Amino acid sequence: METVISMKNVSFVRENRVILRDINWKVSEKEQWVILGLNGSGKTSLLNIVSGYQYPTRGEVSVLGHTFGKTNLPELRKQIGFVSSSLDRFNQTLESETVEDIIVSGKFATIGLYHTVTHEDRQQAEQLMASFRIDHLKGKTYDTLSQGEKRKVLIGRALMAKPKLLILDEPSIGLDILTREEILALIKEIIVTQPCHVLYVTHYIEEIIEEMTHVLLLKDGQIVAAGKKEEVLTDEYLSETFQLGMNVRWEHNRPWVSIEKKSMLQRS
């Protein structure tokens, strides 16, 4: 499998509103992508199509070798790990679950355990906990964890099924700087050690670590630029995407941005 994701002339319309327009995008093996854009730019709809929860209004989509219209989408979803703040809607169910049970449930793509769990499943969950350095949380319930610990547990859950594609939708939202860097270090470890491709969605350019290779910029449902991060993360492309004058600098192979004062004055 050389192509991980392929979108050709993809549009998505809901209630006569165009959410995505003429998306042409390809993700190849060994590429790790970041998706950037303002709220309302189409990021969520793009992710929902990739994960098989929404069907494009027009265009051709292929994910992990599965061509939409010719494949079983529930089977495709079993190959995709998903971590998002949208999972918070299941907190009432999660809060009384133990850390290890939540991680094991990822094998079955369920919230809560409703299947027979083998000794091997338990061992795999414990190995994930050890590699994420959260094995000390064994036996603790979800409601007793910090936000950072919860995020690590959900990432472990997403990896339990050994996905070929891992979608991380703003995994650092609501975290302090120290915890955010711990999550980014964990993602680096996943990229280096796990046989999966990452789609990382964020609002913060400085979260693009060295191991993330490509960037997709979205604005009003259209692609501003897509390609290698060094070619896409320019002052011009970012200023167009975020509708602000932005300047990019690179430190330790990570991009950082500043906002032009004149640009801020014009918007105030």
Side-chain angles (χ1 to χ4, degrees), residues 235 239 244-247 258-265:
D235 297 352
S239 296
L244 281 172
M246 303 181 78
N247 301 121
S258 57
I259 309 299
E260 294 179 0
K261 183 177 181 181
K262 181 180 178 181
S263 176
M264 291 297 295
L265 291 173

Side-chain angles (χ1 to χ4, degrees), residues 98-112:
T98 63
V99 167
E100 56 269 30
D101 280 355
I102 291 172
I103 292 177
V104 168
S105 72
K107 176 183 177 180
F108 311 103
T110 61
I111 301 295

Side-chain angles (χ1 to χ4, degrees), residues 207-251:
E207 292 183 4
I208 302 176
I209 56 176
E210 182 177 2
E211 288 71 21
M212 297 171 183
T213 61
H214 289 65
V215 173
L216 173 70
L217 298 180
L218 283 176
K219 177 187 175 186
D220 298 330
Q222 294 180 284
I223 293 177
V224 174
K228 293 181 179 179
K229 62 183 179 183
E230 296 84 0
E231 299 171 1
V232 171
L233 295 176
T234 65
D235 297 352
E236 293 76 19
Y237 283 143
L238 287 174
S239 296
E240 180 181 352
T241 301
F242 292 101
Q243 302 172 45
L244 281 172
M246 303 181 78
N247 301 121
V248 187
R249 70 182 191 279
W250 293 80
E251 295 180 11

Side-chain angles (χ1 to χ4, degrees), residues 42-56:
K43 299 189 302 296
T44 298
S45 294
L46 187 74
L47 293 182
N48 285 339
I49 290 174
V50 169
S51 54
Y53 286 102
Q54 286 179 337
Y55 209 86

Side-chain angles (χ1 to χ4, degrees), residues 169-230:
D169 186 10
E170 299 187 58
S172 68
I173 191 169
L175 303 181
D176 59 41
I177 293 176
L178 174 60
T179 308
R180 181 191 72 172
E181 292 301 313
E182 290 177 348
I183 294 295
L184 290 175
L186 177 58
I187 293 167
K188 173 179 179 177
E189 187 174 333
I190 290 169
I191 291 174
V192 171
T193 64
Q194 300 290 327
C196 66
H197 298 83
V198 170
L199 291 187
Y200 187 90
V201 179
T202 182
H203 286 291
Y204 303 105
I205 285 88
E206 66 271 17
E207 292 183 4
I208 302 176
I209 56 176
E210 182 177 2
E211 288 71 21
M212 297 171 183
T213 61
H214 289 65
V215 173
L216 173 70
L217 298 180
L218 283 176
K219 177 187 175 186
D220 298 330
Q222 294 180 284
I223 293 177
V224 174
K228 293 181 179 179
K229 62 183 179 183
E230 296 84 0

